[in-house]
Amino acid sequence: MQPDYKNWIPKGMVEGAFFCCALCLVLSCVFWRLQLLAGIVLLLSSLCAGWTGWKLFGMYRAFDFHGKRSVSRNIIEAVASQVDLPDGGVGLDVGCGSGALTIACAKRNPQARMVGVDIWAKAYSSFSQQLCERNAKAEGVENVSFQLGNALNLDFPTEHFDVVTSNYVYHNIPGRNRQTILLETLRVLRKGGLFVIHDVFTTQKYGDMNAFIALLNQMGYKEARLVPTDDGLFLPKKEAARLGVQGSALLVGRK
């Protein structure tokens, strides 16, 4: 049995963009003679939807875990390589999706255990707890478990885990202060514990991360820093921009 880590870009999102393109194109033809302005607007909308669909299709191909470009797999392995758990330790992966990072961390740390949590939202309906468990079984990994959990309010005691990690999750949560989400994740980390969080840390999405790192230092965190991964470490800058993940970085340090 082979693991199935799905795709970071939902197929329905790509199909939806192309459907909107086709619909707007048809409507523009209908309205062109009846109302020129409406026809022009619909034509422009069609072109915009088509461009979006084409870009999403390119991202879909790139983020195919078992595809030729191996972008997803390379990123997962690179993030997991930063995770070091003590003997008997427990790590938490927030927003585990199909379980790829959780399982990769567990494989690298057989002396410890990983827990993956996710809300498995409708936008990613192909992901589920059962899928994660099947993938762990396919990989022959037993030191891992999965459960329902929300990054906004983690159902774990304070200072419960030796490591917390996440990959490309928080920037997808709309309408929230993402620095607050980071603090909630760090809340469940034990003193001396390691955090390895990979995301798109742009000012637009996260605000002033330099100020946030300064805050962590004031709170007693050690070696807190941002390590850019879109400069060739994980992805070349041009590819990161093409895939819409420019500004990618690792937030790492210890509590």
Side-chain angles (χ1 to χ4, degrees):
M1 183 171 67
Q2 293 293 321
D4 180 11
Y5 291 118
K6 301 297 181 182
N7 198 298
W8 293 351
I9 305 298
K11 188 176 181 180
M13 189 182 296
V14 181
E15 293 174 341
F18 282 125
F19 174 80
C20 288
C21 173
L23 180 61
C24 289
L25 184 60
V26 170
L27 290 176
S28 69
C29 294
V30 172
F31 279 91
W32 193 266
R33 292 185 178 182
L34 299 177
Q35 191 174 355
L36 181 59
L37 180 60
I40 293 173
V41 170
L42 287 166
L43 179 59
L44 292 175
S45 298
S46 175
L47 293 174
C48 182
W51 179 86
T52 301
W54 181 251
K55 185 173 181 179
L56 286 172
F57 178 66
M59 294 170 67
Y60 182 83
R61 292 184 63 189
F63 288 130
D64 181 356
F65 198 87
H66 296 290
K68 293 181 179 179
R69 295 171 68 182
S70 304
V71 173
S72 296
R73 184 166 67 252
N74 291 342
I75 290 175
I76 289 295
E77 292 298 330
V79 175
S81 71
Q82 305 291 316
V83 176
D84 184 19
L85 279 157
D87 289 352
V90 184
L92 175 68
D93 179 31
V94 181
C96 62
S98 60
L101 179 57
T102 322
I103 293 168
C105 291
K107 288 175 71 175
R108 294 183 64 90
N109 294 273
Q111 78 290 351
R113 184 167 62 89
M114 285 293 299
V115 177
V117 298
D118 205 309
I119 60 173
W120 291 295
K122 291 182 179 179
Y124 291 86
S125 58
S126 61
F127 295 172
S128 67
Q129 181 178 347
Q130 293 73 26
L131 174 65
C132 293
E133 291 168 348
R134 289 197 302 270
N135 286 335
K137 185 176 181 180
E139 294 276 18
V141 175
E142 297 182 353
N143 59 325
V144 64
S145 61
F146 300 94
Q147 63 188 70
L148 191 67
N150 192 328
L152 303 179
N153 185 20
L154 294 169
D155 191 21
F156 298 105
T158 298
E159 298 184 9
H160 188 67
F161 293 96
D162 298 286
V163 168
V164 291
T165 188
S166 184
N167 180 61
Y168 282 155
V169 174
Y170 305 146
H171 77 275
N172 287 316
I173 303 176
R176 298 286 180 171
N177 184 321
R178 296 182 179 95
Q179 292 187 14
T180 301
I181 302 174
L182 289 173
L183 290 175
E184 170 61 8
T185 299
L186 297 176
R187 176 187 65 81
V188 302
L189 183 63
R190 290 176 181 154
K191 293 291 185 182
L194 174 71
F195 54 93
V196 181
I197 299 171
H198 187 230
D199 206 357
V200 182
F201 288 105
T202 59
T203 302
Q204 180 183 10
K205 296 181 183 298
Y206 273 91
D208 188 347
M209 283 300 295
N210 289 327
F212 181 75
I213 291 174
L215 173 64
L216 292 183
N217 291 330
Q218 291 173 11
M219 295 171 66
Y221 286 81
K222 299 177 181 179
E223 303 173 1
R225 62 196 185 279
L226 273 182
V227 180
T229 61
D230 64 348
D231 59 354
L233 184 62
F234 289 5
L235 285 169
K237 278 192 177 293
K238 287 185 178 180
E239 185 166 32
R242 186 165 58 249
L243 297 177
V245 292
Q246 61 269 43
S248 292
L250 281 170
L251 176 65
V252 295
R254 291 192 177 273
K255 191 169 187 179

